[in-house]
Amino acid sequence: MSAPLLDVRDLSVAYGRAEVVHNVSIQVTQGALVTVIGANGAGKTTLLNALMGLLGARGAITFRGRPIANVPLEARVQQGLCLVPERRELFADMPVEDNLLLGGIRRSRAERNQTLEQVFSQFPRLKERRRQLAGTLSGGERQMLAMGRALMARPTLLMLDEPSLGLAPRIVRDIFQILTELRASGVSILLVEQNARAALQVADYAYVMELGAITTQGSPAEIAQDSRLVESYLGLGGNDY
Amino acid sequence: MDTTIFLFLLQDGVINGAVYALVAIALVLVFAVTRVIFVPQGEFVAFAALTVAALENGRAPSTPWLLLALGILAAIAEVVWHFRDLTVKRIVRVALLDLALPVALLWLTLALAPMKLGQLVNILLAIALITPMGPMIYRIAFEPLAHSSVLVLLMAAFGVHFSLIGLGLVFFGPEGSGTTPLSSASFSLGDLVVTGQSVAVLIVTAALLVLFALFFGRTLLGKALRACSSNRIGARLVGIPTSAAGQFSFAIAALLGAVSGILVGPLMTVFYDSGFLIGLKAFVAAIIGGLVSYPLTVIAALGVGFAEALFSFWASNFKEVLVFTLIIPVLAWRSIYAPYHEESE
Ligand SMILES: Nc1ncnc2c1ncn2[C@@H]1O[C@H](COP(=O)(O)OP(=O)(O)OP(=O)(O)O)[C@@H](O)[C@H]1O
Ligand SMILES: [Mg+2]
């Protein structure tokens, strides 16, 4: 088997003295949709921010066969790593279209315009609202814009931090539908979620993170069988939240 | 006060205000992109005026030596801060921009100065000498602190200001000088005599403001700079190189400073440290604009210029004090009505 697209070994991340992610090792194979699920405060956002380069970390990160632990953030974007952050971080005082174009700023103009058309066909809603200021979008639209902006960079690996956060179940379904479409089109995805039920439905492989460490991993079916995890993350009723 | 005096003061105020506007939008730009309150912006103004003055007298100005000194410091800073990732590309860039460019400009200045080639050449040379100082200063003093708080950056800005004042005294000496007007024409509108210089100031300022608006409103590069101020994390996440954006904003600031210096040169006697007061008045305007709004900043700058003209007519001894007092009601008003902003990061 070929080497994984993303290979994280013994990654530890600390805020000052307080270490909140401990010796985490995860892999994402080319073309896969991998999910990391975990409760509030487990360290999921911290992990993604460290992988992206927003936070410093100890440990090895290999992306497309190259070590990137010491590579600055903008070079990681250049190499095809992209993050849709938990707080979206849109350019609120700029129109939707400018947000998207800036997402593709490291690409050539031709590539950028072509990708813009693709993103607009994936998210027709964004096309309708292309002149609206990003700050005035609804929560669901903002999430779509954050994803669209990341896709404008044509990532090899798209990392998403709780894309379902604060969205109505219908919109969550739409977003996850788009994730499966993206995966089918060849984008590898690392999805961090608290909404474990939805994440396990679309993922190829899952990690469970608890108190800053990976405690369980396996296929979504295996995770869904684990009675302890079912109780803590999937709930006994049918409630996803 | 009769209408003639009023119109005269208005003309005076608008001209000064136009120059403050150029300095003030540079302050707003630099703050937006880098969060640096760039205290030494006025130094570019003074140094540019002194450069043109020297060239007009057929003397080679000391500006290229100052540029070379800054270039050497920037090259050292680059090697020190990026010791671990010194690529060939990086070394070539440093050698070209920090060392070869100042040396070339030095040679050009020494060759051209005695020839007295005229105003246009003097102006272009001054702009060429001042503009590269912006990114050099950014790389020496601010890039290593890029993630620090606004307060730390402000202290660094004061440090740069005092260093530049010191260097200014060494390189330009304590004498003040003025430059010849851009246009010696004048015509009368009723009772008011309008000088060609004031028309030139207004045209140049208006043209630059329009270019500025087009650049930030229409081009992707301009939007990328705005993105840095709109959402810093977002800008980093889409791969906008924040260091390059910072250098670019400092280059624009230095360019605007140089043009301002060329415009004020004929209006006053400029000394090596004259820039500070100009910068401070522009800062009043920038604060009134909340350090974010360009149109508001321009209007405020014109207001500051006009207020200064009025105060110098009524109470010339207290002119500066009164101008700076303007900031108090503005700050009070802002603190009452402005929404509370958490400092991000
Ligand atoms: N800037 C910070 N400084 C100090 N501690 C932090 C900081 N950011 C997060 N933490 C702590 O690190 C731990 C992990 O936080 P993180 O945001 O990574 O969790 P998470 O798994 O993403 O949670 P959620 O599902 O609520 O988003 C938490 O205990 C949090 O309080
Ligand atoms: Mg989180």
Side-chain angles (χ1 to χ4, degrees):
Chain A
M1 218 190 91
S2 63
L5 176 69
L6 177 76
D7 191 355
V8 180
R9 299 252 168 222
D10 293 327
L11 195 79
S12 300
V13 192
Y15 294 105
R17 286 230 179 131
E19 192 180 274
V20 299
V21 168
H22 320 287
N23 297 314
V24 164
S25 299
I26 61 174
Q27 273 101 45
V28 180
T29 42
Q30 177 76 50
L33 196 166
V34 173
T35 184
V36 176
I37 55 180
N40 286 117
K44 307 179 298 293
T45 299
T46 308
L47 172 67
L48 284 194
N49 286 349
L51 292 179
M52 192 65 227
L54 283 168
L55 291 174
R58 239 167 358 92
I61 311 172
T62 312
F63 181 60
R64 299 167 88 180
R66 270 181 281 177
I68 58 162
N70 292 319
V71 168
L73 194 159
E74 65 224 33
R76 296 189 202 195
V77 176
Q78 196 77 315
Q79 291 179 17
L81 195 59
C82 236
L83 172 67
V84 180
E86 191 169 31
R87 293 156 51 134
R88 323 308 197 218
E89 313 289 3
L90 299 172
F91 307 124
D93 52 359
M94 296 192 196
V96 166
E97 186 164 354
D98 285 352
N99 270 268
L100 291 172
L101 289 173
L102 286 167
I105 191 156
R106 305 303 290 264
R107 301 282 155 185
S108 71
R109 177 189 293 265
E111 239 184 327
R112 195 159 51 227
N113 291 334
Q114 193 196 345
T115 322
L116 184 66
E117 287 314 310
Q118 281 171 19
V119 169
F120 275 154
S121 66
Q122 256 155 343
F123 300 97
R125 189 65 159 270
L126 293 182
K127 186 167 189 172
E128 286 164 26
R129 312 205 161 246
R130 64 205 289 175
R131 308 237 175 276
Q132 192 173 330
L133 294 186
T136 64
L137 294 176
S138 77
E141 289 161 350
R142 287 159 58 85
Q143 180 56 35
M144 289 178 200
L145 180 55
M147 286 173 66
R149 188 180 71 178
L151 290 173
M152 285 297 295
R154 297 206 176 199
T156 315
L157 175 63
L158 181 64
M159 304 193 288
L160 300 110
D161 196 345
E162 303 209 33
S164 72
L165 192 70
L167 302 185
R170 251 200 60 156
I171 301 178
V172 173
R173 260 204 307 285
D174 290 350
I175 298 261
F176 277 73
Q177 176 60 35
I178 289 166
L179 288 185
T180 45
E181 284 168 22
L182 282 176
R183 204 202 75 165
S185 72
V187 181
S188 312
I189 296 174
L190 178 58
L191 171 67
V192 154
E193 263 299 341
Q194 253 186 78
N195 187 344
R197 187 180 299 278
L200 290 177
Q201 269 168 19
V202 295
D204 300 306
Y205 198 80
Y207 294 90
V208 179
M209 194 168 188
E210 289 172 290
L211 297 175
I214 300 289
T215 52
T216 315
Q217 54 179 292
S219 71
E222 284 162 16
I223 303 276
Q225 294 300 313
D226 189 320
S227 59
R228 186 180 69 86
L229 294 175
V230 170
E231 234 170 85
S232 20
Y233 296 112
L234 299 182
L236 297 174
N239 195 343
D240 283 355
Y241 294 95
Chain B
M1 178 168 32
D2 63 26
T3 352
T4 322
I5 296 181
F6 179 79
L7 285 177
F8 175 78
L9 292 178
L10 186 65
Q11 169 174 252
D12 219 31
V14 166
I15 295 166
N16 286 334
V19 174
Y20 296 151
L22 287 184
V23 178
I25 60 169
L27 289 176
V28 175
L29 169 68
V30 164
F31 181 75
V33 177
T34 64
R35 294 176 308 136
V36 174
I37 295 172
F38 194 52
V39 185
Q41 174 66 20
E43 266 71 81
F44 294 138
V45 180
F47 293 175
L50 291 170
T51 306
V52 174
L55 287 170
E56 278 176 358
N57 293 325
R59 281 188 292 114
S62 311
T63 331
W65 293 105
L66 178 60
L67 182 68
L68 183 60
L70 288 173
I72 292 172
L73 282 176
I76 293 173
E78 182 94 10
V79 172
V80 171
W81 301 122
H82 298 280
F83 191 69
R84 260 136 63 74
D85 42 11
L86 270 185
T87 53
V88 175
K89 204 172 129 193
R90 205 166 204 141
I91 294 171
V92 169
R93 206 175 52 206
V94 167
L96 282 180
L97 289 179
D98 296 340
L99 305 174
L101 178 71
V103 170
L105 285 170
L106 174 63
W107 174 82
L108 197 66
T109 309
L110 293 179
L112 292 183
M115 295 188 213
K116 287 202 183 187
L117 287 177
Q119 199 163 31
L120 185 64
V121 175
N122 296 347
I123 288 173
L124 292 179
L125 193 56
I127 291 177
L129 287 168
I130 298 289
T131 306
M133 289 182 185
M136 285 174 185
I137 290 173
Y138 174 73
R139 282 165 44 219
I140 295 167
F142 299 108
E143 194 183 346
L145 304 175
H147 300 292
S148 313
S149 67
V150 171
L151 184 63
V152 171
L153 291 169
L154 176 64
M155 290 190 287
F158 268 104
V160 172
H161 162 66
F162 290 122
S163 316
L164 281 179
I165 291 288
L167 288 172
L169 180 59
V170 171
F171 283 98
F172 294 104
E175 309 84 30
S177 35
T179 57
T180 36
L182 298 172
S183 151
S184 47
S186 71
F187 53 94
S188 42
L189 270 181
D191 290 338
L192 183 71
V193 179
V194 179
T195 59
Q197 173 67 17
S198 39
V199 176
V201 169
L202 287 185
I203 290 176
V204 172
T205 305
L208 274 178
L209 291 178
V210 168
L211 276 181
F212 203 78
L214 286 179
F215 173 71
F216 284 100
R218 297 287 166 80
T219 67
L220 194 63
L221 187 60
K223 287 171 184 171
L225 287 187
R226 272 169 55 206
C228 291
S229 60
S230 169
N231 188 318
R232 194 162 296 276
I233 298 179
R236 295 183 68 202
L237 285 177
V238 300
I240 294 170
T242 39
S243 155
Q247 290 183 44
F248 195 78
S249 66
F250 269 70
I252 297 183
L255 175 71
L256 289 173
V259 173
S260 317
I262 288 156
L263 295 179
V264 293
L267 301 174
M268 59 189 267
T269 307
V270 177
F271 296 88
Y272 71 96
D273 62 352
S274 297
F276 185 58
L277 268 190
I278 296 174
L280 217 49
K281 284 171 197 157
F283 182 66
V284 173
I287 290 289
I288 296 175
L291 279 173
V292 281
S293 163
Y294 294 106
L296 207 56
T297 301
V298 171
I299 293 169
L302 293 174
V304 169
F306 185 51
E308 187 185 9
L310 283 183
F311 292 147
S312 60
F313 177 72
W314 282 325
S316 61
N317 285 341
F318 297 105
K319 148 183 124 172
E320 317 287 11
V321 179
L322 289 172
V323 168
F324 294 123
T325 312
L326 280 180
I327 206 169
I328 295 173
V330 172
L331 285 180
W333 178 76
R334 286 200 81 88
S335 66
I336 293 168
Y337 289 104
Y340 174 72
H341 283 298
E342 239 178 302
E343 184 170 311
S344 55
E345 288 173 88

